[in-house]
Amino acid sequence: MTVQEAEKAGMSDIDIALGIVTGELEDESEPVEYRDLVHGRITKTRLDPYHDVKVYEDGYEERYYIGD
């Protein structure tokens, strides 16, 4: 049983936590880490004027124009 199914069934938060710890419940909502093959992991994001910026672990910055 997954955590989402347990929540729909009405299990309490404590029972869900115990189920995860004992391995009876599977949490499928784990965050997926994006890793670029050339630049590595994203270490920081920020907003510059008119741009979204992603900073990778090797220092490379990827800029996306977001408009006026």
Side-chain angles (χ1 to χ4, degrees):
M1 178 181 262
T2 66
V3 172
Q4 291 77 18
E5 293 171 347
E7 289 174 344
K8 288 179 185 175
M11 288 180 70
S12 69
D13 292 340
I14 294 173
D15 290 335
I16 291 174
L18 289 174
I20 293 171
V21 170
T22 60
E24 295 173 3
L25 294 177
E26 297 175 347
D27 188 8
E28 297 178 349
S29 65
E30 295 179 14
V32 176
E33 181 181 294
Y34 176 76
R35 184 173 187 90
D36 187 82
L37 296 176
V38 177
H39 303 292
R41 283 185 266 141
I42 297 173
T43 57
K44 184 175 141 183
T45 59
R46 70 174 189 266
L47 289 173
D48 283 351
Y50 306 108
H51 291 88
D52 282 334
V53 182
K54 293 180 185 175
V55 181
Y56 292 88
E57 62 187 351
D58 69 348
Y60 177 75
E61 293 186 358
E62 193 170 70
R63 302 171 67 83
Y64 293 99
Y65 180 73
I66 56 175
D68 296 329

